[in-house]
Amino acid sequence: MELLTIGAFARAARLTARALRLYDETGLLAPAAVDPDSGYRFYAPAQVARARLIAGLRRVGMPLTEIKAVASLPPAEVAAAVAAYWQAETARTETRARQVALLLSDLSRGDTTMSEITMRYATRCETGAVRDTNQDATFASADVLAVADGGGGPAGAAASAAAVGALSGSASLATLAATIDEIDRAWRGKAITTLTAIVRQGAQLALVHIGDTRAYLLRAGELSQLTHDHTWVQQQVDHGRLAATEAAAHPQRALLVRALGGGPQPVEADLALRTALPGDRYLLCSDGLSAVVGRTALHTTLTGNTDPDAAAQALLDLAFEAGAPDNIACVVADVVTA
Ligand SMILES: [Mn+2]
């Protein structure tokens, strides 16, 4: 068998002489012979197939150690090994793509902590003890939390379901205003609904609010009400015409001054941008909870139940203890590190 010079072999294998020297040094492909005087490498024609395989694996980016393992397999097993390598590589790429997206999102808002966070959440949505139908709606995922309280006739239930449903899809901070506008126009003249929702992008939260559903934040042991009721009585309180205690007992306390579908003008939503901190707990609820369960009881219950599901259930139980005169919806969500 006639041996080939490194140059002739390189041409046959479509490789460079430099690559062949590297494969020799790393033990991937040893020459068939080395001239003891000149040090010239010589290859056997039968080595071309292995050299081409190594070159092909290098082109797809396989590390040298893996190439060594694949190239020493029986020829029948090589294809399956390459397929398995590519499957694993694709999964790694997808993971990296998600991490890059998170990193870019952190960088774009100047956040240097770059912690990955997520939400642990629980929801309750019940008709209560007095009403015949449930016109409240909830939705929760790691990225969207929402409660809505429909009204204005039998279509109220459909309106609240549509409002939380519109956010449940592909809600993003960029499209939030357009989504709100669409719901508002779709329901004008048909039914109205409140909406209090949080849309998360990384550690950035957008809180959007219309009506008398509420958002509360439990942070470092303190409970804050983040939303301002869009009710006629709250407006009277704001204008100094009514005391807060009178508002709570007022016969018109449920009268809304802003609601989705309320028209004729496009609705004005309150929007707040917040930062999600691990340890934060959000409560979103309808007036069926906040009107009958006082702030102190909310605070105690949220503090006393570590698990979101236990907290949501305890809040629901309190509403029932208070007679559950209205539909009750709540979402309890904890910000946690992923
Ligand atoms: Mn209600």
Side-chain angles (χ1 to χ4, degrees):
M1 179 174 60
E2 198 178 332
L3 292 181
L4 302 171
T5 64
I6 190 165
F9 185 75
R11 279 191 298 280
R14 299 188 202 113
L15 285 165
T16 62
R18 188 162 163 264
L20 288 172
R21 282 193 290 271
L22 172 72
Y23 298 168
D24 183 14
E25 283 154 21
T26 53
L28 274 175
L29 185 67
V34 180
D35 186 300
D37 297 328
S38 65
Y40 288 159
R41 294 166 165 90
F42 294 93
Y43 291 84
Q47 289 182 293
V48 169
R50 183 180 168 91
R52 283 187 176 174
L53 174 61
I54 292 168
L57 297 174
R58 288 287 287 165
R59 271 197 297 278
V60 301
M62 190 183 279
L64 289 173
T65 48
E66 260 180 87
I67 291 177
K68 210 168 181 174
V70 172
S72 57
L73 289 171
E77 291 172 27
V78 169
V82 172
Y85 159 76
W86 189 240
Q87 200 173 9
E89 192 66 14
T90 306
R92 277 194 289 270
T93 304
E94 279 169 10
T95 305
R96 288 174 61 213
R98 279 196 297 276
Q99 286 164 347
V100 167
L102 272 172
L103 179 61
L104 287 175
S105 154
D106 283 339
L107 291 171
S108 70
R109 56 168 190 276
D111 182 352
T112 53
T113 60
M114 296 183 195
S115 56
E116 279 183 48
I117 58 128
T118 187
M119 296 278 197
R120 283 182 59 230
Y121 50 85
T123 69
R124 290 294 185 278
C125 189
E126 298 278 335
T127 306
V130 175
R131 298 277 169 91
D132 295 328
T133 59
N134 189 356
Q135 305 208 325
D136 284 2
T138 63
F139 178 81
S141 71
D143 304 315
V144 177
L145 312 169
V147 298
D149 181 345
S160 64
V164 302
L167 292 182
S168 70
S170 56
S172 80
L173 269 50
T175 59
L176 193 54
T179 305
I180 296 298
D181 190 50
E182 274 169 40
I183 307 164
D184 184 41
R185 275 188 285 112
W187 290 92
R188 206 167 291 164
K190 299 185 186 108
I192 60 163
T193 183
T194 74
L195 178 66
T196 300
I198 287 174
V199 173
R200 182 178 75 87
Q201 213 158 295
Q204 195 173 40
L205 304 179
L207 169 63
V208 65
H209 167 70
I210 304 119
D212 66 349
T213 34
R214 290 182 177 178
Y216 292 86
L217 170 64
L218 182 69
R219 176 179 280 177
E222 299 291 337
L223 186 70
S224 318
Q225 185 180 329
L226 301 178
T227 51
H228 196 74
D229 290 348
H230 298 145
T231 55
W232 180 82
V233 288
Q234 184 60 50
Q235 210 170 47
Q236 300 312 300
V237 172
D238 294 343
H239 295 164
R241 298 189 192 113
L242 206 61
T245 46
E246 288 177 286
H250 201 281
Q252 293 299 322
R253 65 181 177 277
L255 188 65
L256 297 174
V257 290
R258 278 198 243 171
L260 286 166
Q265 298 298 317
V267 76
E268 287 188 318
D270 290 347
L271 179 68
L273 295 176
R274 309 196 51 89
T275 302
L277 298 179
D280 283 354
R281 169 171 279 184
Y282 284 91
L283 166 67
L284 273 52
C285 68
S286 65
D287 66 333
L289 180 70
S290 58
V292 296
V293 178
R295 185 195 172 81
T296 309
L298 290 182
H299 193 174
T300 310
T301 308
L302 289 170
T303 312
N305 291 275
T306 312
D307 180 53
D309 195 69
Q313 185 59 45
L315 292 171
L316 184 68
D317 291 345
L318 285 177
F320 271 91
E321 281 166 30
D326 191 5
N327 305 148
I328 306 136
C330 68
V331 176
V332 176
D334 290 344
V335 178
V336 295
T337 48

